[in-house]
Amino acid sequence: MTRRSPIGLLASALVLLPALGMAQEEPERNPGGVEGGYDPSVGLFVTDSEAGFNLSLGAYSQFRYSMNWREDRADSVQDFEQEFSIPRTEIFLQGSYTDRLDFQLRTSITDGSDFELFVAYLAYRFSEDWNVTIGKQFIPLSREDWQYAQDLLAIDFSANDNTFAAGTALGLVLNATIQDWLRFWIALDDGSFSAKRVLPMAEESDALLSGRFEFQIAGTDWSVWDDLIGRRGRPFSVLVGIAPAYLVRTGKDLRFGDEHQLNLDLSLNGDGYQVLVAGSWTARNPRLADRYNNYGLYAQGGFFVSDTWQLYGRYDFVSPGDQPALGSQELEDFTAVSAGLNWLPFRRTNRWKISAEVGHLFSALNNTIVAPSGTLGWLASDTAGQALLRLQAQFGF
C-alpha cells in the first residue's frame, strides 16, 4: 500500500471545492467593459469589471555593489573583496479570474542565472474576510519573511531570516480577518525551517504545521503593515505577532512536533517611521543526535527625514544555543549591526529605491550557525570582525 503525505491528502480534497460554491456560471462577455492601464501598486493591468476578472503584470530588479573588509585574517586570506551582482529579478502575474478566485505566479532569477518558480498559488475567497490558498507560497511565520524583497527596509533580508525562516513551500493556507484587531493564517505545507537554504532532508516526508496570529492593538488599517518601510502620512499603529510551528514527520510512526519554532514580534508604525523587534526560538531534534535549541533576535527602525529620504538601522543576533559543534571549534553567537540611507523617489511605489548601507560583523562567520550567502553580504571567515559597504539600485514597474 502506498503511503500518502498530509499534503497529498489535502490536494486530493480539492475535488470538493465545487461543493463549497466555487463552481459558477461563465459570465457573458462584454468587450465594452474591458479596461487597461498602469497602477503603481500592481504594474500593468487589464480588467473586466462585469466578469470580475483582472490581471496585472509587474517586475523589478536589484543591481548591487558590495565591498567587504576582513579583520585579523590569515595571511592566505584576502583582506578586501568587492563584487557587482544582480541578486534578484522578479517577474510576477497576479489577479482575479472571478470575484472569488485569485491567483499569483512569481518567478525569481538570481545572480547565478538560476530560474525559480518562486510563487504559484490559487486562492478561493469564501467571503471578504475568509479565504484559502493552495500552491507554492510564503509560509506565515516571521513578519520579515512575510515581505517581498522590494518592501524591505534594509538592502536585504536579515541573518535571522536566512537562518530560521520557512521561505516558500507547497501547501495550503487558511486566512481570516476578524474586524480591525485580529487576523490569522493557518498553514500545512511540505516545508521546513530554513527552507531557503539547502539542508539535509529527513529520510521520510515532512510536513510543517504552522500559524501566524496578528493583533492590531492600536490603529484600524491593516494596509500599513504591507511593507517594512513606514511612509509618511500613515496613522500611529501597533502590531503584535505570534507564530508557532511544528514539524511533522511521517515514517513508520507519526511523530508530532519533533521540531518546533516560536516567533514573536512587535511593530510600531507612524507618520514616517516604522520599528520592528522580533525574536525566534527553534527546537531541533536530529534523528541521529540529541535535541538542541537555537535562538534569534532582530531589531530595526527607519525614519523619513523628508518625503523621499530615509535613514535606518538594524541589529541582528543569532545564537546557536546548546547546539553541539561539529568539530573541535565551539559555536559562537552571530552579532552584526548596520545602518543605511534610502532614497525612494516615488511615493506611489517601493519598487524604485536607491540604497547605501554600512555594517559590521563582530563574529567569525564560519563559527556561527549562519551560512554565508551572497544576499546576506557577509563573507566566510574564520576570524572575528568584518566590515561591509553595499550600494544598491532597485527599479521596476
Side-chain angles (χ1 to χ4, degrees):
M1 179 178 178
T2 302
R3 175 171 52 83
R4 304 189 66 181
S5 69
I7 297 298
L9 295 174
L10 280 172
S12 300
L14 285 179
V15 298
L16 300 177
L17 280 177
L20 298 176
M22 191 176 73
Q24 301 178 17
E25 295 182 1
E26 289 291 330
E28 296 182 3
R29 295 190 62 188
N30 180 7
V34 177
E35 298 179 354
Y38 173 74
D39 183 334
S41 63
V42 296
L44 301 174
F45 72 89
V46 59
T47 66
D48 185 339
S49 57
E50 293 189 6
F53 172 84
N54 69 80
L55 173 67
S56 62
L57 168 66
Y60 70 93
S61 187
Q62 296 173 334
F63 177 72
R64 184 179 301 174
Y65 175 58
S66 301
M67 292 177 282
N68 291 77
W69 293 266
R70 293 185 179 95
E71 302 173 7
D72 300 325
R73 88 288 178 200
D75 292 338
S76 60
V77 178
Q78 288 183 311
D79 61 343
F80 172 74
E81 291 189 26
Q82 61 179 334
E83 179 187 34
F84 287 97
S85 64
I86 301 179
R88 60 176 59 84
T89 298
E90 295 190 8
I91 305 170
F92 47 92
L93 292 163
Q94 60 187 7
S96 302
Y97 192 72
T98 70
D99 59 356
R100 289 185 180 271
L101 282 174
D102 300 332
F103 61 89
Q104 182 175 162
L105 299 170
R106 182 179 291 254
T107 62
S108 179
I109 305 172
T110 68
D111 190 53
S113 298
D114 294 325
F115 183 88
E116 178 187 8
L117 182 60
F118 199 40
V119 171
Y121 69 75
L122 174 68
Y124 177 73
R125 281 183 278 125
F126 300 97
S127 68
E128 184 178 347
D129 299 324
W130 289 80
N131 67 78
V132 63
T133 59
I134 186 166
K136 191 174 185 180
Q137 56 194 301
F138 278 97
I139 304 306
L141 284 173
S142 71
R143 181 160 179 257
E144 182 192 11
D145 198 51
W146 200 226
Q147 307 293 323
Y148 290 118
Q150 69 176 41
D151 298 319
L152 296 176
L153 176 64
I155 281 184
D156 218 306
F157 293 94
S158 68
N160 267 265
D161 184 80
N162 276 269
T163 306
F164 300 121
T168 61
L170 180 63
L172 183 146
V173 178
L174 175 68
N175 168 234
T177 301
I178 311 300
Q179 298 181 353
D180 57 15
W181 64 276
L182 170 65
R183 62 181 180 180
F184 65 85
W185 296 261
I186 298 176
L188 179 61
D189 61 88
D190 64 352
S192 176
F193 306 129
S194 303
K196 293 197 294 186
R197 293 196 289 139
V198 178
L199 295 178
M201 297 302 293
E203 295 86 354
E204 296 90 11
S205 61
D206 292 336
L208 186 68
L209 176 64
S210 63
R212 178 168 173 83
F213 302 84
E214 293 185 344
F215 303 87
Q216 191 167 217
I217 59 178
T220 59
D221 185 2
W222 287 109
S223 67
V224 302
W225 309 113
D226 289 346
D227 61 38
L228 295 176
I229 293 176
R231 296 274 192 167
R232 283 186 168 184
R234 295 180 179 179
F236 175 73
S237 305
V238 180
L239 184 75
V240 175
I242 303 174
Y246 298 88
L247 187 64
V248 182
R249 287 185 173 140
T250 55
K252 295 180 180 179
D253 301 312
L254 179 64
R255 297 186 292 172
F256 183 77
D258 269 2
E259 298 190 4
H260 53 271
Q261 185 179 95
L262 178 64
N263 296 274
L264 300 173
D265 53 81
L266 172 67
S267 301
L268 305 178
N269 195 103
D271 185 9
Y273 66 89
Q274 189 170 133
V275 177
L276 168 64
V277 180
S280 180
W281 164 47
T282 303
R284 302 182 185 271
N285 187 17
R287 296 186 183 277
L288 301 177
D290 294 333
R291 180 185 294 272
Y292 60 84
N293 302 278
N294 299 146
Y295 306 95
L297 178 65
Y298 168 80
Q300 69 171 31
F303 178 76
F304 277 87
V305 296
S306 70
D307 286 345
T308 57
W309 289 95
Q310 179 190 45
L311 296 171
Y312 69 85
R314 181 165 75 179
Y315 170 76
D316 214 353
F317 174 80
V318 177
S319 172
D322 55 356
Q323 178 176 343
L326 294 177
S328 58
Q329 179 64 48
E330 291 295 323
L331 293 174
E332 62 182 78
D333 297 333
F334 173 100
T335 306
V337 294
S338 60
L341 175 67
N342 289 328
W343 179 51
L344 296 103
F346 306 111
R347 288 179 56 88
R348 62 185 186 268
T349 181
N350 296 334
R351 291 178 192 162
W352 287 79
K353 183 170 68 172
I354 307 297
S355 304
E357 182 178 284
V358 295
H360 189 270
L361 173 63
F362 297 91
S363 318
L365 186 63
N366 293 353
N367 299 335
T368 72
I369 63 172
V370 178
S373 166
T375 58
L376 185 61
W378 304 113
L379 300 177
S381 177
D382 294 318
T383 57
Q386 188 174 154
L388 168 69
L389 170 61
R390 298 195 284 187
L391 306 174
Q392 178 172 282
Q394 177 178 284
F395 54 93
F397 67 91

